[in-house]
Amino acid sequence: MITVNGLVAIDALGLTFRAGAAGGHRLVTWAHACDLTDPWRWVAAGDLVMTTGVGIPEDADKQVDWLNRLADINVSALVVAARADAPKIQHKMLAAAEARKFPVIEASFELEFVKLARRVIRVEASRQLFQSYTSALREATDFESRLASLGRREGWHVEIKDLASGRTIVSSGEPPANGGRQEIADIPGRGRAALMVRHRKEHKIIDPLLVHYLAGLVVVELEQQAIERDHRRSEGEVLLRDFLKGVVDFAAARAVLEWRGCKVRWSVSPSTRQERQRGNRDRSTMHRTCARSNHYCCKTTS
């Protein structure tokens, strides 16, 4: 969620404080353009009120009353991009705003309110997406289930594909038969993957910036999974080498493998008398590990 200070800091918007800069920490939850004489009836707490000034009264005292009624409902700030025929904002109104720490911001009339509103809306949409993603993290234990949870919350179909092979790495479920336009964002990291998102409702469009934002969230989890795979692979190499050397006995190795979710089978084969005698000198004459479909088979003679 962006603050009033955050909006003023965006050079491209050309916003400047006229009064109430001390209230710049206020959060902006939405943006609303209104030129009516009673905007407090149409906006809500947290809204950024944008006006060309034609609804502001001309009299100084009436301007103060107009400002106070707007500030009383806890809107975040007032942005005035004055038209040529709009009443001049009086010093008394600015003093009242300063006393209440209520931000009054000046903008050029050339500023298109839609650009300012879009900026606010995108920030709010990003915040909601982040909340959906963190909720999915709490609800599901595996990546696929988390994407499915996110997809249900947002009404999206989400898919991650490996660009080299074209293989789907993970998805939120079956794609919609008639969905919206697909948006694609490259996922940074060690692999070449892409995030593909489309709305489940036909003709519904997803903001491409939100898809890029989601790609930034997803890459953290993908990189963490890659690091964990590398760590497990390294541990497995050490375990197998020590097992073949006889440094680790079967019971210890089996416990580690089963903890990792591997199925372990133990078989004992008949041996000759000579082999049994040799086995007295070395109780483990052969260890064989096979890794077929995550099945580890160990064989020894005794």
Side-chain angles (χ1 to χ4, degrees):
M1 196 176 298
I2 197 166
T3 63
V4 175
N5 283 333
L7 283 175
V8 174
I10 300 172
D11 293 335
L13 296 176
L15 304 176
T16 55
F17 281 108
R18 287 288 307 277
H25 61 278
R26 296 178 180 221
L27 294 174
V28 179
T29 58
W30 205 249
H32 195 102
C34 185
D35 275 338
L36 298 175
T37 57
D38 53 353
W40 47 85
R41 295 181 57 192
W42 310 100
V43 296
D47 284 356
L48 180 75
V49 180
M50 304 176 293
T51 181
T52 62
V54 295
I56 300 175
E58 293 188 11
D59 180 76
D61 290 333
K62 289 183 179 179
Q63 283 190 2
V64 172
D65 181 65
W66 185 91
L67 177 95
N68 284 331
R69 296 189 70 174
L70 191 60
D72 284 343
I73 63 169
N74 293 319
V75 296
S76 60
L78 172 68
V79 177
V80 182
R83 267 175 28 180
D85 58 341
K88 182 181 177 180
I89 294 179
Q90 303 294 328
H91 175 74
K92 202 169 184 178
M93 172 178 162
L94 295 177
E98 192 70 30
R100 296 196 62 161
K101 299 180 181 179
F102 177 73
V104 175
I105 299 169
E106 185 177 56
S108 167
F109 183 68
E110 283 69 32
L111 172 68
E112 297 177 17
F113 284 156
V114 67
K115 291 181 179 179
L116 180 55
R118 187 180 294 122
R119 180 77 63 154
V120 174
I121 291 168
R122 278 177 168 171
V123 170
E124 177 63 13
S126 298
R127 183 190 68 84
Q128 292 177 358
L129 177 60
F130 181 78
Q131 285 186 337
S132 294
Y133 191 79
T134 52
S135 296
L137 287 173
R138 290 192 295 267
E139 289 176 359
T141 56
D142 62 276
F143 193 25
E144 189 169 17
S145 297
R146 286 193 283 272
L147 283 188
S149 175
L150 177 67
R152 287 192 299 270
R153 288 173 176 274
E154 298 295 326
W156 297 353
H157 172 71
V158 185
E159 187 176 6
I160 298 176
K161 276 195 174 183
D162 179 73
L163 294 178
S165 64
R167 180 180 61 89
T168 297
I169 299 173
V170 64
S171 77
S172 61
E174 289 295 322
N178 296 304
R181 186 182 68 193
Q182 187 177 68
E183 297 292 342
I184 302 174
D186 288 338
I187 299 176
R190 66 179 72 185
R192 292 184 62 243
L195 175 68
M196 302 177 178
V197 184
R198 61 189 300 197
H199 206 285
R200 290 194 168 274
K201 293 183 179 179
E202 195 173 5
H203 307 307
K204 291 280 281 186
I205 298 175
I206 300 172
D207 189 338
L209 283 182
L210 286 181
V211 178
H212 284 276
Y213 181 72
L214 179 58
L217 296 176
V218 165
V219 69
V220 176
E221 189 159 4
L222 288 177
E223 286 296 300
Q224 183 179 1
Q225 288 184 351
I227 292 171
E228 289 177 354
R229 282 195 302 270
D230 291 344
H231 183 64
R232 288 197 301 269
R233 188 178 296 113
S234 177
E235 279 188 340
E237 290 174 357
V238 173
L239 178 63
L240 178 60
R241 183 171 60 249
D242 291 347
F243 185 51
L244 293 174
K245 289 180 179 179
V247 178
V248 178
D249 63 11
F250 176 75
R254 179 174 184 170
V256 173
L257 294 172
E258 288 181 341
W259 178 74
R260 290 181 178 175
C262 301
K263 295 180 181 179
V264 182
R265 292 184 299 180
W266 169 263
S267 64
V268 178
S269 63
S271 58
T272 63
R273 182 175 181 179
Q274 290 81 1
E275 288 173 333
R276 287 197 297 272
Q277 289 174 347
R278 286 198 301 271
N280 289 332
R281 292 189 299 270
D282 183 0
R283 296 295 298 174
S284 258
T285 60
M286 181 176 67
H287 295 282
R288 180 168 60 89
T289 302
C290 37
R292 263 202 236 74
S293 302
N294 264 354
H295 286 70
Y296 290 78
C297 309
C298 306
K299 186 177 180 182
T300 182
T301 57
S302 58

